[in-house]
Amino acid sequence: MASGKAFAHHHILGMEQFSREDISHILATADSFKEISTRSIKKVPTLRGHTVINLFFEPSTRTRLSFEVAAKRMSADTFNISPTTSSTTKGETLADTARNISAMHPDIIIIRHPCSGAPLLLTRYVQAAVINAGDGAHEHPSQGLLDLMTVKEHRTTLSGLKVAIVGDIAHSRVARSNITGFTRMGSAVYVYGPATLIPKGIDQLGATLCGSLEEAVRDADVVMTLRIQRERQNDPLLPSLREYARQFSISQRILELARPDAIVMHPGPVNRGVELPPEVADGPQSVILDQVTNGVAVRMALLYLVMGTA
Amino acid sequence: MSASWCIKNGRIIDPANKIDRIGDLLVLDGCIANPKQPIPPGVPEIDAQGLWVVPGLIDMHVHLREPGEEYKEDILSGARAAASGGFTGMACMPNTKPINDCAAVTAMIVARAAEAAIRVYPVGAISLGCEGKQLAEFGEMREAGVVAVSDDGRPVRDSQLMRRALEYASDFGLPVISHSEEASLSSGVMHEGPVATRLGLKGIPAAAETIMVYREIALAELTGAQVHIAHVSTAMAVELIRAAKGRGVRVTAETAPHYFTLTDEAVAGYDTNAKMNPPLRSAADREAIKQALADGTIDAIATDHAPHSILEKEVEFDLAANGIIGLETALPLTLALVRDHVIDERRLVELLAVMPATILGLAKGTLHPGAVADITLIDPQRQFAYSADQVVSKSRNSPFLDWILQGRAVLTMVGGAIRHNLSV
Ligand SMILES: [Zn+2]
């Protein structure tokens, strides 16, 4: 696919589906939408009359809000369905829920689900465009795209960079989307974390596994940390968050190993003092709030692009 | 229906009697006749030209879902599927609802099976409710008809209980069938490795199987009892079994066709019909399984036929039930190993008929004169598309749907009665 106007994707399930040209096209589109959010009247009529459903099977304030803001700035009608208000607790299957929603003829369904692969399953039952807002430990493509957009703003290029991703790689959909995204754009991704949080075969996704935090961060252009959970379903991953903070967090001292103009990223919400000490999270190299701002622009772009293919 | 037949001009492959020849096989009154016996007038002929005539195939590991989940399968529907796949007998696991952990449930299964197309050999539970706490009454269950004991699907965690099960089962000549998986390592949904990492699915490491296989071998060695390892899926388990056999431990093993046919790559796309327990493993594991089938480390091929409806399978991968149906695809998938020169024809018959009978202590798997005429006729060339509308089982949860398969049972005879027939 050439880098022209055409966008061949009806559904957005993962970074995996995008070529380098696709990504450039999405980022350019997002760039053009970013300005809208700085106007006094932050609304364009582009998606007027379109229905967007936020189908969130997992609690998420930030991502849901970001998609909702994006949809409303495009003048779409948005509706939120979350597990407590939907009927999945009564034993309704995803297929049932999907068929019911589909019968109301939405244009776009944005799905967040704790099970990897659920968005793909959803596409079997609906006509609407499906956008994956995070599925299990699989993918979170809009997060990956907003991270690329943020890095591009601060580095002007997405090729030839060293990107360090530190923390819980095993359970992170953000890590997978970013490994795919950055490597596809021509940057090198280095991952590091406690061995309990590094999945088997991560190198086969294109990342380089480091033996130490120093190795991961040294001369990096981008230092990205991921949110940590001490335990998941009785799986003892870490002795304590305190120890994690002392052994694995990006301290100012560690950050000095990176390039002087390196940027610090985190998909949020940050466990302050765990993944990042406050002085780094709020320091001059942190672009965490830029990520949030760009999230709206990227999501506006995705809504626009999938509607262009209907 | 006559119970006497003259099966003409087939290739008779009967490893138990070291026979592999073209010729006629005479069945009189439901039993194999002496080859020197003249053919009485009026016995109908079956033309077996180009076909293999082999002792009836026996699947030593199936789930028939009756009692309790008849919407997935029942004893009669499972037997029809088995007959169409060339099986004349099958051993059904006890994890029904209720669980087959007492003579009353065994008796119920035996009574239902009397009407089935093929022979059904119940496997009793090791522990009451398969809960791994208290031994089931092996003696009474054996009197009611069980041929082995197993807590298949719910591996016995307690090593002391497993030791006692092995010892006590040996009093009744019952093999103990182990679903070998260390539970605390098995909370994932597919094989742990690069594919699971890419898909973001939680893995089950090969070590989960290794650890438990080693425990079972150690306990068999300690007790001198016979242990049978179900559905071997990993190279490490193969290595342990090979070494144990080498030092004379009474261990036997089976694998299932999916473990020598597919790898964890089949899960890509979150296909819930590629979800089973143990999971599909790596390409290296698959190669080790094939080698073990060829060299005798693995004794038998069993399907682990596990029917599930769309209620259990058309859901998120994490939530989908484990297991696939296998009775109708086992023979063609094993024939592919013969075409690929992994095993020869004789070995195929050993794996699918002779050894399952031997392990379960059944007087089957032979075409010896006087034996009951359980016979399968195989057309090794015949191709068919295994499409959903062709599935005989009540459930359709197969990763082999829409595959073009080569080689098929064209006639299945149980005690001289034809239970499946595509050719005559
Ligand atoms: Zn099992």
Side-chain angles (χ1 to χ4, degrees):
Chain A
M1 180 68 46
S3 61
K5 297 282 182 291
F7 186 74
H9 305 276
H10 179 50
H11 304 298
I12 293 175
L13 303 180
M15 199 68 94
E16 180 60 39
Q17 79 194 69
F18 294 134
S19 67
R20 189 176 178 146
E21 289 71 28
D22 288 331
I23 293 170
S24 298
H25 184 42
I26 296 165
L27 296 186
T29 310
D31 226 25
S32 67
F33 281 126
K34 192 173 177 183
E35 175 266 336
I36 295 167
S37 296
T38 63
R39 297 180 191 171
S40 57
I41 296 178
K42 302 175 180 59
K43 208 167 179 118
V44 291
T46 318
L47 293 183
R48 193 161 55 200
H50 289 73
T51 304
V52 175
I53 291 182
N54 279 316
L55 179 60
F56 275 54
F57 290 88
E58 203 177 63
S60 151
T61 316
R62 290 162 182 247
T63 304
R64 207 200 66 197
L65 179 64
S66 181
F67 267 110
E68 199 174 348
V69 168
K72 289 202 157 126
R73 288 194 178 154
M74 309 285 281
S75 302
D77 298 315
T78 65
F79 302 89
N80 295 316
I81 307 171
S82 57
T84 43
T85 57
S86 80
S87 37
T88 51
T89 44
K90 293 181 218 143
E92 195 180 62
T93 64
L94 181 62
D96 292 333
T97 307
R99 288 193 190 102
N100 267 288
I101 292 173
S102 198
M104 299 174 204
H105 304 291
D107 298 288
I108 300 173
I109 301 173
I110 295 156
I111 177 174
R112 156 74 59 101
H113 201 290
C115 297
S116 299
L120 176 64
L121 185 63
L122 180 64
T123 63
R124 283 206 231 157
Y125 306 110
V126 300
Q127 301 295 311
V130 171
I131 298 180
N132 178 7
D135 62 327
H138 178 224
E139 282 243 35
H140 192 354
S142 62
Q143 177 74 42
L145 289 161
L146 73 88
D147 287 339
L148 288 170
M149 182 176 179
T150 306
V151 171
K152 186 148 192 271
E153 281 180 355
H154 288 269
R155 275 289 176 285
T156 69
T157 176
L158 285 174
S159 68
L161 303 177
K162 174 175 178 176
V163 179
I165 303 180
V166 175
D168 183 353
I169 311 296
H171 303 94
S172 176
R173 49 197 173 215
V174 178
R176 284 168 182 73
S177 290
N178 271 316
I179 290 168
T180 305
F182 280 104
T183 52
R184 213 150 275 183
M185 297 313 286
S187 286
V189 178
Y190 292 75
V191 297
Y192 180 70
T196 51
L197 300 176
I198 302 295
K200 292 269 171 291
I202 192 70
D203 51 315
Q204 292 188 30
L205 265 67
T208 302
L209 179 59
C210 297
S212 71
L213 189 54
E214 288 78 3
E215 184 191 339
V217 173
R218 186 168 290 118
D219 299 323
D221 295 277
V222 177
V223 179
M224 183 183 296
T225 56
L226 301 171
R227 192 175 162 80
I228 289 293
Q229 270 181 258
R230 190 176 68 79
E231 190 197 276
R232 282 169 187 265
Q233 290 144 18
N234 297 321
D235 191 351
L237 299 165
L238 294 167
S240 66
L241 292 181
R242 177 181 162 278
E243 171 143 301
Y244 181 89
R246 294 176 76 117
Q247 304 293 333
F248 298 95
S249 84
I250 306 296
S251 63
Q252 194 61 51
R253 180 184 66 79
I254 290 288
L255 188 56
E256 275 160 20
L257 297 171
R259 286 173 50 114
D261 54 353
I263 56 172
V264 174
M265 306 177 78
H266 192 294
V270 181
N271 283 315
R272 279 171 189 279
V274 180
E275 300 102 5
L276 295 169
E279 66 270 21
V280 174
D282 305 327
Q285 288 170 273
S286 168
V287 298
I288 293 171
L289 291 176
D290 295 358
Q291 291 174 269
V292 177
T293 303
N294 288 336
V296 175
V298 155
R299 288 166 181 132
M300 288 170 80
L302 293 178
L303 294 169
Y304 170 76
L305 289 168
V306 294
M307 278 301 91
T309 63
Chain B
M1 183 175 286
S2 162
S4 297
W5 307 92
C6 185
I7 303 169
K8 303 277 289 180
N9 297 317
R11 178 178 171 190
I12 300 166
I13 307 172
D14 178 17
N17 297 295
K18 300 192 164 53
I19 287 169
D20 185 348
R21 65 174 173 89
I22 306 281
D24 302 344
L25 188 71
L26 183 62
V27 173
L28 287 180
D29 298 325
C31 291
I32 312 272
N34 192 305
K36 285 167 193 140
Q37 173 141 358
I39 302 168
V43 171
E45 291 186 355
I46 296 171
D47 179 13
Q49 181 98 42
L51 306 180
W52 300 353
V53 180
V54 308
L57 310 183
I58 296 169
D59 187 345
M60 63 181 300
H61 190 142
V62 302
H63 300 270
L64 295 180
R65 305 303 186 205
E66 183 180 357
E69 291 178 307
E70 290 84 353
Y71 69 99
K72 297 178 177 180
E73 193 81 284
D74 57 47
I75 292 169
L76 300 187
S77 70
R80 280 194 297 275
S84 76
F87 292 97
T88 58
M90 59 183 165
C92 58
M93 288 294 162
N95 61 338
T96 44
K97 293 175 181 172
I99 282 170
N100 182 14
D101 62 0
C102 64
V105 179
T106 308
M108 175 263 158
I109 293 168
V110 169
R112 288 287 286 154
E115 299 162 43
I118 69 159
R119 303 180 198 282
V120 177
Y121 307 105
V123 176
I126 290 173
S127 65
L128 291 181
C130 291
E131 285 175 347
K133 291 185 180 129
Q134 199 182 331
L135 289 181
E137 292 174 338
F138 296 173
E140 278 206 7
M141 287 195 296
R142 195 195 60 161
E143 284 166 14
V146 306
V147 297
V149 291
S150 179
D151 276 1
D152 184 51
R154 297 269 306 268
V156 177
R157 287 176 183 236
D158 186 317
S159 301
Q160 179 71 353
L161 184 82
M162 191 61 175
R163 173 200 173 147
R164 295 307 182 207
L166 285 163
E167 289 171 336
Y168 191 61
S170 68
D171 286 334
F172 301 98
L174 293 171
V176 177
I177 300 174
S178 165
H179 174 133
S180 298
E181 213 172 20
E182 162 56 36
S184 63
L185 284 171
S186 307
S187 61
V189 296
M190 70 172 291
H191 176 61
E192 181 170 333
V195 182
T197 294
R198 190 174 81 225
L199 295 173
L201 292 172
K202 188 165 187 204
I204 301 173
E209 180 168 289
T210 313
I211 289 168
M212 209 55 134
V213 167
Y214 192 77
R215 184 194 75 172
E216 311 305 39
I217 288 169
L219 291 176
E221 210 158 9
L222 171 69
T223 60
Q226 179 193 354
V227 71
H228 176 77
I229 310 295
H231 40 58
V232 171
S233 68
T234 63
M236 261 314 278
V238 164
E239 218 168 284
L240 291 172
I241 294 162
R242 190 177 284 133
K245 284 186 164 186
R247 52 178 200 276
V249 182
R250 292 179 67 202
V251 57
T252 54
E254 82 198 21
T255 192
H258 36 281
Y259 301 118
F260 62 72
T261 307
L262 302 173
T263 67
D264 56 348
E265 289 285 355
V267 178
Y270 302 95
D271 182 1
T272 56
N273 285 337
K275 182 177 179 185
M276 69 282 292
N277 197 13
L280 296 171
R281 301 289 187 181
S282 71
D285 290 309
R286 180 176 61 178
E287 285 315 301
I289 299 287
K290 287 187 191 177
Q291 183 55 43
L293 287 166
D295 71 15
T297 303
I298 291 177
D299 303 274
I301 291 171
T303 64
D304 198 5
H305 180 79
H308 289 295
S309 78
I310 57 170
L311 294 175
E312 292 84 21
K313 285 294 194 182
E314 276 193 18
V315 295
E316 297 86 330
F317 194 87
D318 283 342
L319 307 181
N322 282 309
I324 61 168
I325 56 169
L327 284 164
E328 299 163 60
T329 49
L331 177 59
L333 294 172
T334 308
L335 282 162
L337 294 181
V338 176
R339 285 197 301 278
D340 295 344
H341 306 290
V342 176
I343 59 172
D344 61 15
E345 296 85 342
R346 170 203 156 94
R347 182 77 189 133
L348 174 140
V349 177
E350 284 176 353
L351 288 162
L352 284 168
V354 181
M355 288 311 294
T358 305
I359 294 164
L360 297 176
L362 309 171
K364 297 286 172 193
T366 175
L367 297 177
H368 198 268
V372 173
D374 289 3
I375 300 167
T376 304
L377 268 57
I378 298 168
D379 181 344
Q381 306 299 334
R382 186 171 179 139
Q383 289 196 346
F384 66 107
Y386 188 57
S387 55
D389 60 317
Q390 298 235 335
V391 175
V392 179
S393 166
K394 272 192 194 177
S395 294
R396 292 170 177 183
N397 52 309
S398 169
F400 305 112
L401 282 185
D402 298 323
W403 281 37
I404 306 292
L405 299 169
Q406 185 182 333
R408 189 167 200 184
V410 290
L411 189 145
T412 306
M413 182 182 288
V414 181
I418 294 175
R419 302 300 191 177
H420 159 75
N421 190 352
L422 296 177
S423 70
V424 182

